[in-house]
């Protein structure tokens, strides 16, 4: 992705990586697993992947480390989602343009419509974490192919 980046965009690429989980990430994932509303596939993800940082794909795509997700949960609680807006969701990342991604207890991924985290309006972007990761992959592939920001 970064081979032609500076030539195309006129500035050097930022951080763009999928960082493997280390022992601290895995410990945070185990602690996060104790939160009853966390989908199992998110814990599986965090046992292998520490974080995703694609600063240069569109405005950027970021899947936060488990420790950050846990800290945000402890400090701010959950976001209300679901049909009755009573299911608690966790913030797991952002798009670099001020919008956040949250995961509900059933695994559905939502994106905020605005940068505000106070009573955010949400749109569903994926049925589960794996579909969300596939959308991220498509965004990266599209960006590499033609410089367009992708589909998230």
């Amino acid at each position: 992705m970064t081979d032609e980046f500076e030539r195309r965009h006129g500035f050097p690429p930022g951080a763009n990586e999928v960082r493997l989980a280390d022992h601290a990430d895995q410990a945070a994932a185990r602690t996060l697993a104790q939160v009853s509303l966390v989908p199992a596939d998110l814990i599986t993800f965090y046992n292998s992947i520490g974080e995703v940082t694609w600063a240069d794909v569109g405005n950027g795509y970021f899947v936060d480390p488990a420790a950050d997700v846990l800290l945000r949960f402890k400090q701010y609680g959950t976001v209300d989602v679901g049909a009755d807006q009573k299911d608690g969701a966790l913030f797991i990342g952002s798009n670099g343009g001020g919008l956040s991604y949250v995961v509900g207890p059933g695994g559905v991924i939502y994106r905020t419509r605005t940068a505000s985290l106070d009573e955010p309006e949400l749109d569903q972007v994926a049925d589960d974490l794996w579909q969300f990761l596939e959308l991220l992959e498509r965004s990266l592939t599209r960006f590499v192919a033609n410089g367009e920001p992708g589909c998230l």
Side-chain angles (χ1 to χ4, degrees), residues 44-98:
T44 301
F45 173 82
Y46 280 133
N47 276 314
S48 297
I49 304 298
E51 69 183 304
V52 176
T53 302
W54 290 344
D56 295 316
V57 180
N59 288 333
Y61 293 111
F62 306 91
V63 178
D64 296 338
D68 289 0
V69 173
L70 187 60
L71 179 63
R72 196 174 299 115
F73 169 70
K74 288 178 180 178
Q75 290 178 336
Y76 304 107
T78 61
V79 176
D80 293 334
V81 297
D84 59 2
Q85 296 290 303
K86 298 298 177 198
D87 293 332
L90 296 173
F91 287 98
I92 61 166
S94 66
N95 73 352

Side-chain angles (χ1 to χ4, degrees), residues 59 94-100 112 114-117:
N59 288 333
S94 66
N95 73 352
L99 305 182
S100 297
T112 59
T114 65
S116 173
L117 301 179

Side-chain angles (χ1 to χ4, degrees), residues 25-37:
D25 295 312
Q26 293 165 343
R30 285 190 300 276
T31 303
L32 193 58
Q34 297 171 7
V35 178
S36 62
L37 53 96

Side-chain angles (χ1 to χ4, degrees), residues 75-137:
Q75 290 178 336
Y76 304 107
T78 61
V79 176
D80 293 334
V81 297
D84 59 2
Q85 296 290 303
K86 298 298 177 198
D87 293 332
L90 296 173
F91 287 98
I92 61 166
S94 66
N95 73 352
L99 305 182
S100 297
Y101 296 106
V102 299
V103 61
V108 174
I109 307 290
Y110 301 89
R111 180 185 56 225
T112 59
R113 289 184 188 164
T114 65
S116 173
L117 301 179
D118 298 325
E119 299 182 27
E121 295 180 23
L122 304 168
D123 293 313
Q124 181 175 334
V125 295
D127 293 334
D128 56 30
L129 179 65
W130 304 117
Q131 185 181 33
F132 177 70
L133 295 173
E134 288 173 351
L135 289 171
L136 283 176
E137 180 183 37

